[in-house]
Amino acid sequence: MVALVYNWWHLYVRLYDAEHHREAITSRPALLGGVARMTRHSGQSTIKVSLQHDKKELLVQAIKLVSKTLCRFYLIAEQWSIEQRWTLLLTHIFRHWLGGKWLGALPQGAQALLSG
């Protein structure tokens, strides 16, 4: 587990696929091989990503899943401390190995978030 925490890329990849190990040498070019553009309008930021990979549809779904997960986390954990946010994020990422256990005490509403 120490090796996974040391390499932050694995944590990102586990956000969309917690059950499989992905090698950085193959997953990084696939997920980072796009061009992104951020636009701001009416106080809202939007990022549009154009992917140039053969498996574009699969990658779009993975990126959307990560984005939706992080948005849900932001909405529920907006008032939480940094430690509580990290506990939530790491519990979600390592849920496959934790078998329903929590890495620490989480505030109210976290269990519903992690079950989804």
Side-chain angles (χ1 to χ4, degrees):
M1 186 167 306
V2 172
L4 285 176
V5 172
Y6 183 76
N7 189 345
W8 290 98
W9 181 256
H10 288 284
L11 296 178
Y12 173 75
V13 173
R14 297 250 183 225
L15 274 171
Y16 79 88
D17 189 3
E19 296 184 19
H20 297 99
H21 174 75
R22 305 280 182 199
E23 289 295 333
I25 197 162
T26 56
S27 64
R28 278 187 184 144
L31 288 167
L32 294 177
V35 177
R37 179 179 178 187
M38 184 170 81
T39 58
R40 294 176 193 228
H41 180 69
S42 301
Q44 188 174 24
S45 298
T46 304
I47 297 177
K48 295 185 180 186
V49 180
S50 300
L51 296 171
Q52 307 298 321
H53 197 274
D54 290 342
K55 298 181 181 178
K56 176 182 173 180
E57 293 78 22
L58 245 161
L59 297 173
V60 166
Q61 294 304 318
I63 293 169
K64 282 183 180 180
L65 181 62
V66 170
S67 177
K68 286 180 183 179
T69 299
L70 293 176
C71 284
R72 286 189 358 232
F73 280 21
Y74 177 76
L75 290 175
I76 199 168
E78 190 173 11
Q79 302 298 320
W80 294 3
S81 69
I82 297 296
E83 182 180 321
Q84 291 169 325
R85 291 178 189 181
W86 273 106
T87 302
L88 174 65
L89 182 64
L90 294 174
T91 299
H92 178 75
I93 289 171
F94 295 116
R95 66 191 179 277
H96 178 71
W97 292 286
L98 293 173
K101 296 179 184 173
W102 302 82
L103 288 175
L106 293 173
Q108 253 184 347
Q111 189 167 9
L113 178 67
L114 288 173
S115 64

